[in-house]
Amino acid sequence: MPNTLIFAEGDPTMMAQFGGLAMSGLNLLGSLFLFLVGLAVAAAVVLFVLDITQTRSAVRRNYPVIGRFRTLFSHLGEFFRQYFFALDREEMPFNRAEREWIDHVCEDGSDVVPFGSTKNLDPGTPIFANGLFPALDDDERPVPDFIIGPNTRNPYQPGSLFNISAMSYGSLSKPAIQALSRGAALSRCYLNTGEGGVSPYHLEGGCDVVYQLGTAKFGARNDDATLNEDKLRKVCENPHIKMVEIKLSQGAKPGKGGILPGGKVNAEIAEIRGIPEGEDAISPNRHIDASNSEELLDLIHKVREASGRPTGIKLCIGQVGPIVDLLKAIKVRGDASAPDYIVIDGGDGGTGAAPLPLIDNTGLSVREGLPLMDDLLREYNLRDRVKIIASGKLVTSADVAWAFCAGADMVNNARGFMFALGCIQALKCDKNTCPTGITTHNPRLQKGLDPANKAVRVHNYIKNIIKEVEIIAHACGVDEPRQLQREHLLIVQASGRSKPFDKVWDSSRYM
């Protein structure tokens, strides 16, 4: 007899057992439902009493319980706009098209798209002027040596024209810094430490490192935030440290020092920075020992002598007069007193959290600051002596190519690399609740960030940026990106027509 499953249709015992089990399940679900309803009613009553008696929120006092949905919907609105309602090129500070392009190239995907551009050619939009006879991509051409600080004890020849901008251990998590260090080593680019000092995680990948000295001089400071040359000398004994960068200001908060809350200052971070554990790490809003041009040049000299490394400055341009005074002071002392390089940051914010008035309304954008600094250095015959590095919101290959046209010798970027690490622009950087583990010290959230995997994405990002910038340079008829000039750039005017950048740019307007 074949094996079959037979239901005992007439068995009253089995039917009774099944019916009893079903009724028990229904009774349990009913009880659970009533419990949840009762719990919700009780919670509503408690919230009603809390709202009607509090005085901080007029909406909640006048509309108890219901008024709370306003706050909920405000928080959810950010999510819905990002994923459902905002168009591809509408969001700020970076739109979906930019974020998805970075994510795509980080996965080493194809860099081609079908059916035309979706970019609006609004006034001010840059367009590259392709040549009639582009340089062949397959031709191998000798690239001239590019050396920073040739007269220092340890001149530096960067291995990449696109590098990782300042991000400190403290503002970023341990696995994030580890991934950046490993990815930089794969790409032969350098990694800037940010103002938090040199951590072992910046060094562990074996990449080139730029040691940033912020206004607090973490890692090389005296108790009053002046320079401790002995500490600096010891830090720079590490051969991976290739340059030192004196940060005067950054685009996110020009004129204001950084703040790392005491809750983030654990024993390790305190040791690296040379500050007490558990206390807020507050940087002065300028260098204590550099209140004028002469003192700044003295500081540059001390840092260069103690470190033996090329030494530069980073700033976001605002007032032009003090920069002119600095260049005049250099000419009086001699060109050798100049910084070996200048990093120009944009005034439209960055990785650092800052007061909204500073992010929105202080400092020139890199679109203005970069060509202005290039002009000033040329005016004082310092352009060959001082290299220019552009920084600030230059996350795509077109942005980077623009910077070379406008006068940059190299380009740094930070937020693009945060996207490479998996950033979703949740805007939780200052709350220690970053959902991708990049800017949080919560071990549970950090587990989602695998340094080995993200290092490959960082490498792919750099590789594809450089590849596409070279494509743009060849289209413009030059052999390599540093040969791009202002004549290779067109700017869309209000009329809809374009003009060459060198015809519309006039630095005298800023004087």
Side-chain angles (χ1 to χ4, degrees):
M1 181 177 180
N3 294 328
T4 57
L5 182 63
I6 301 175
F7 290 97
E9 296 180 355
D11 190 340
T13 302
M14 183 175 292
M15 292 297 292
Q17 290 176 344
F18 178 77
L21 183 62
M23 288 302 298
S24 298
L26 290 174
N27 288 335
L28 179 61
L29 290 175
S31 299
L32 182 60
F33 176 75
L34 291 175
F35 172 76
L36 293 176
V37 170
L39 190 63
V41 171
V45 171
V46 171
L47 293 176
F48 180 90
V49 173
L50 291 174
D51 289 347
I52 206 72
T53 55
Q54 60 84 37
T55 56
R56 292 183 60 186
S57 172
V59 172
R60 285 168 50 201
R61 188 175 177 87
N62 292 335
Y63 301 94
V65 184
I66 296 175
R68 290 177 175 266
F69 285 94
R70 178 183 179 277
T71 303
L72 174 64
F73 291 151
S74 294
H75 287 298
L76 290 178
E78 187 177 282
F79 167 81
F80 282 107
R81 285 192 298 273
Q82 180 173 359
Y83 291 103
F84 298 106
F85 301 127
L87 299 179
D88 282 351
R89 296 186 182 270
E90 279 188 339
E91 289 181 272
M92 295 290 284
F94 296 93
N95 60 51
R96 185 185 297 117
E98 292 169 326
R99 298 197 311 272
E100 290 188 350
W101 178 84
I102 294 173
D103 184 67
H104 191 58
V105 298
C106 286
E107 294 296 333
D108 209 18
S110 171
D111 59 353
V112 297
V113 295
F115 221 63
S117 173
T118 62
K119 186 174 183 177
N120 293 322
L121 297 182
D122 299 321
T125 301
I127 301 172
F128 297 101
N130 57 291
L132 183 61
F133 302 103
L136 293 174
D137 291 334
D138 296 333
D139 285 354
E140 292 188 7
R141 307 168 184 85
V143 178
D145 289 341
F146 178 77
I147 299 174
I148 302 177
N151 297 321
T152 60
R153 296 198 301 274
N154 297 278
Y156 179 49
Q157 184 172 0
S160 172
L161 52 81
F162 184 63
N163 300 280
I164 304 175
S165 193
M167 289 182 280
S168 68
Y169 173 52
S171 61
L172 263 60
S173 66
K174 170 183 171 180
I177 297 294
Q178 290 174 315
L180 291 174
S181 179
R182 298 177 191 179
L186 290 172
S187 308
R188 297 185 62 244
C189 84
Y190 68 67
L191 169 63
N192 191 305
T193 67
E195 66 174 303
V198 181
S199 76
Y201 312 116
H202 287 105
L203 298 169
E204 76 168 33
C207 66
D208 291 350
V209 172
V210 175
Y211 177 19
Q212 186 184 83
L213 280 177
T215 55
K217 302 180 182 66
F218 292 126
R221 71 196 301 267
N222 296 311
D223 291 340
D224 62 353
T226 56
L227 178 69
N228 187 310
E229 295 177 54
D230 290 334
K231 290 182 179 179
L232 175 61
R233 192 175 293 109
K234 183 174 180 57
V235 171
C236 290
E237 288 176 356
N238 190 304
H240 291 293
I241 297 177
K242 302 298 184 180
M243 299 196 297
V244 181
E245 176 182 294
I246 301 172
K247 188 186 82 170
L248 305 181
S249 60
Q250 69 182 88
K253 44 194 171 187
K256 182 173 177 59
I259 300 175
L260 187 66
K264 284 189 172 183
V265 184
N266 56 33
E268 184 180 41
I269 291 175
E271 181 180 359
I272 292 168
R273 298 193 177 207
I275 56 175
E277 180 181 355
E279 296 184 12
D280 292 345
I282 301 176
S283 302
N285 60 335
R286 71 161 174 81
H287 287 272
I288 300 297
D289 40 4
S291 62
N292 53 53
S293 296
E294 296 296 336
E295 291 180 355
L296 176 57
L297 293 179
D298 289 341
L299 179 60
I300 293 171
H301 176 73
K302 289 178 182 177
V303 170
R304 186 157 45 209
E305 287 301 306
S307 67
R309 303 291 193 272
T311 300
I313 58 175
K314 176 180 180 178
L315 72 155
C316 173
I317 294 180
Q319 298 177 26
V320 178
I323 298 175
V324 172
D325 292 340
L326 175 64
L327 299 182
K328 288 180 178 178
I330 291 171
K331 298 304 290 185
V332 171
R333 288 198 183 193
D335 292 0
S337 67
D340 296 301
Y341 64 95
I342 297 178
V343 180
I344 302 299
D345 203 6
D348 45 4
T351 57
L356 189 62
L358 294 183
I359 287 181
D360 278 353
N361 308 295
T362 308
L364 293 179
S365 75
V366 71
R367 304 283 175 174
E368 296 181 86
L370 172 59
L372 178 57
M373 179 55 75
D374 182 54
D375 285 349
L376 290 173
L377 289 174
R378 292 182 188 280
E379 181 180 345
Y380 286 87
N381 296 317
L382 288 168
R383 188 60 185 88
D384 291 335
R385 166 73 182 90
V386 181
K387 307 303 187 220
I388 296 181
I389 302 173
S391 182
K393 212 175 180 182
L394 304 172
V395 301
T396 68
S397 51
D399 295 329
V400 175
W402 171 89
F404 283 108
C405 291
D409 294 305
M410 290 196 301
V411 174
N412 288 352
N413 183 260
R415 285 175 287 181
F417 285 99
M418 291 180 70
F419 289 129
L421 293 175
C423 172
I424 60 172
Q425 198 168 279
L427 305 180
K428 305 296 182 184
C429 307
D430 58 331
K431 296 180 173 58
N432 205 33
T433 57
C434 172
T436 57
I438 298 172
T439 63
T440 178
H441 293 282
N442 183 324
R444 182 184 67 83
L445 296 173
Q446 288 183 0
K447 287 181 179 178
L449 200 163
D450 177 17
N453 170 271
K454 302 306 181 186
V456 175
R457 286 175 54 90
V458 168
H459 171 59
N460 288 339
Y461 180 46
I462 297 168
K463 179 181 67 175
N464 283 294
I465 282 276
I466 294 174
K467 172 187 172 184
E468 294 196 355
V469 172
E470 289 175 343
I471 289 174
I472 293 172
H474 294 165
C476 292
V478 299
D479 292 336
E480 55 104 9
R482 291 194 181 100
Q483 294 178 355
L484 288 169
Q485 304 292 324
R486 296 181 185 185
E487 65 190 47
H488 297 124
L489 195 64
L490 305 173
I491 305 297
V492 178
Q493 305 298 296
S495 64
R497 296 182 177 180
S498 301
K499 289 185 178 180
F501 183 60
D502 56 348
K503 302 299 183 184
V504 300
W505 173 257
D506 181 7
S507 61
S508 65
R509 299 174 184 173
Y510 297 88
M511 305 303 204

